[in-house]
Amino acid sequence: MNQLIPALLVHDEKTFRDRVSLMETDFPVLQIDVMDGAFVPNRTWFDVNVLRRLKTSAKFELHLMVMDPGRYVEETSDISSVFRYIWHLEAPIDHATQITRVHALNKEAGLAISPETPIDKLAQYTKSLDEILIMGASPGFSGQKLQPQSIKRAAEIHSRWPNVPLGFDINVNSETIPTLLAAGISRFCAAGAIFKAEDPVAEGKRMQGLL
């Protein structure tokens, strides 16, 4: 099933709560962008205790743009609303062990891949992944320009591993969605296109309608 996933890239608690409240009724899955200022040059707000106490109908995937994704997995492992973790293939960790750990928690595991990383590096993990998240540009900031080769990379990844759901992040909007669909993307993570719109919910619904 194709799905639009609003991405919450925020720098304070109020914005986080406001965006969850705004989107939860119409979009059952929301992505929380977590940046540590080390793996990427940006840092986002993230408070595990706020998330643990949050009353919401939404389910969350954590997009962990961090050096140590295992830390965030452990901190949030008891939070039922968190059901999927996506971290970067470029992170300096033992990915196989981390995937096994996430599955032992009865949660989903995904790997994100940046534009400069060879696709072949995914091969040893694909049989155990619940998602591959393709980055349309280097991670760290919302609103970046889409790198054209990322579309070709998406199509190649889909061709090689057609049974693994593909997500796409960066510059997902009503103009790029048709091309991404044709490349095999089924999960569309959008931040700026939604939250910079005059009516974020209406724009999200419009984009969802293209899927």
Side-chain angles (χ1 to χ4, degrees):
M1 181 185 74
N2 295 331
Q3 187 174 37
L4 183 72
I5 302 177
L8 311 179
L9 194 166
V10 302
H11 294 92
D12 60 82
E13 180 180 343
K14 183 181 185 303
T15 303
F16 172 73
R17 289 184 179 276
D18 287 349
R19 291 186 176 181
V20 171
S21 179
L22 184 65
M23 308 307 288
E24 63 182 347
T25 299
D26 298 290
F27 302 93
V29 176
L30 304 176
Q31 181 185 91
I32 302 175
D33 286 330
V34 184
M35 305 180 189
D36 63 359
F39 182 74
V40 293
N42 196 4
R43 183 184 293 273
T44 55
W45 175 89
F46 181 75
D47 188 320
V48 65
N49 291 317
V50 170
L51 185 59
R52 182 175 286 113
R53 294 191 298 265
L54 187 68
K55 304 298 184 183
T56 178
S57 60
K59 296 294 185 182
F60 297 104
E61 63 178 28
L62 302 189
H63 179 188
L64 299 170
M65 290 168 270
V66 300
M67 295 294 288
D68 182 13
R71 168 194 155 194
Y72 294 87
V73 171
E74 294 305 316
E75 288 179 350
T76 61
S77 62
D78 64 326
I79 302 177
S80 59
S81 61
V82 176
F83 79 104
R84 181 186 297 142
Y85 299 98
I86 301 169
W87 63 93
H88 277 256
L89 184 58
E90 301 81 16
I93 68 165
D94 182 333
H95 297 292
T97 297
Q98 190 61 61
I99 292 168
T100 299
R101 172 57 180 153
V102 168
H103 285 160
L105 296 170
N106 292 316
K107 298 178 188 283
E108 295 185 10
L111 280 176
I113 182 168
S114 294
E116 68 278 3
T117 301
I119 291 171
D120 285 343
K121 290 193 173 183
L122 285 167
Q124 61 183 305
Y125 308 112
T126 53
K127 288 184 178 179
S128 56
L129 288 177
D130 301 294
E131 178 175 331
I132 297 169
L133 180 65
I134 299 161
M135 303 301 294
S138 296
F141 296 92
S142 176
Q144 296 187 72
K145 185 177 180 181
L146 181 68
Q147 295 186 11
Q149 71 269 24
S150 62
I151 305 293
K152 294 180 180 179
R153 284 165 60 85
E156 181 178 347
I157 290 171
H158 180 61
S159 175
R160 291 178 64 173
W161 302 291
N163 295 324
V164 183
L166 295 188
F168 197 92
D169 194 344
I170 294 183
N171 210 232
V172 172
N173 54 50
S174 57
E175 285 72 40
T176 59
I177 281 174
T179 302
L180 294 171
L181 275 170
I185 301 299
S186 59
R187 296 172 182 166
F188 299 79
C189 303
I194 292 175
F195 294 108
K196 291 180 181 179
E198 184 174 342
D199 186 335
V201 173
E203 182 60 23
K205 287 182 177 179
R206 186 167 79 90
M207 293 168 65
Q208 179 74 57
L210 298 173
L211 307 183

